Amino acid sequence: MSMTFEQLQIIAEQALILSERNSQSISRLEQELRETRSIVDSNARAIQATNNALEAKFNQIADAVIRGQDRLERLERRDTKVDKEIRGLRIETRRMLERWLGEPFTDDPDFDDDDTE
């Protein structure tokens, strides 16, 4: 099958048109790819910033919990110490009342009304 010059020229023109369309499509795709990369980069920065903020907030919360636990432990130790002091004062008061009354005092300082809950 042989082709005439005009047929070859038509095929060459169509190939050129298709080549131009492909080039335009490639240019559009490259532009869209650059825009997509820009969006992805922006989103990545936003995600990283959010991650950093969340991590900082988590660290603040963790530190607050640790401080709260330390404070609670100190308060519990102080509470135990105060309970012992109160018990000692109750015993001392009982002994004073027994001396003053000259008879045994019926209040039992080892019985704590709050323990019945």
Side-chain angles (χ1 to χ4, degrees), residues 10-62:
I10 291 172
I11 291 173
E13 288 174 3
Q14 289 176 346
L16 182 62
I17 291 170
L18 291 175
S19 177
E20 286 179 18
R21 286 182 186 164
N22 284 342
S23 293
Q24 290 172 354
S25 293
I26 289 171
S27 292
R28 276 195 311 275
L29 288 173
E30 287 173 343
Q31 177 62 31
E32 290 173 4
L33 183 59
R34 283 189 295 273
E35 291 171 2
T36 302
R37 282 183 182 150
S38 175
I39 291 168
V40 167
D41 290 343
S42 176
N43 287 346
R45 286 188 300 273
I47 289 169
Q48 186 62 47
T50 301
N51 182 54
N52 292 344
L54 288 174
E55 188 173 341
K57 190 56 75 175
F58 175 80
N59 289 338
Q60 287 177 343
I61 292 169

Side-chain angles (χ1 to χ4, degrees), residues 106-117:
T106 57
D107 182 35
D108 184 0
D110 294 326
F111 178 75
D112 191 357
D113 292 335
D114 295 338
D115 288 343
T116 59
E117 292 178 3

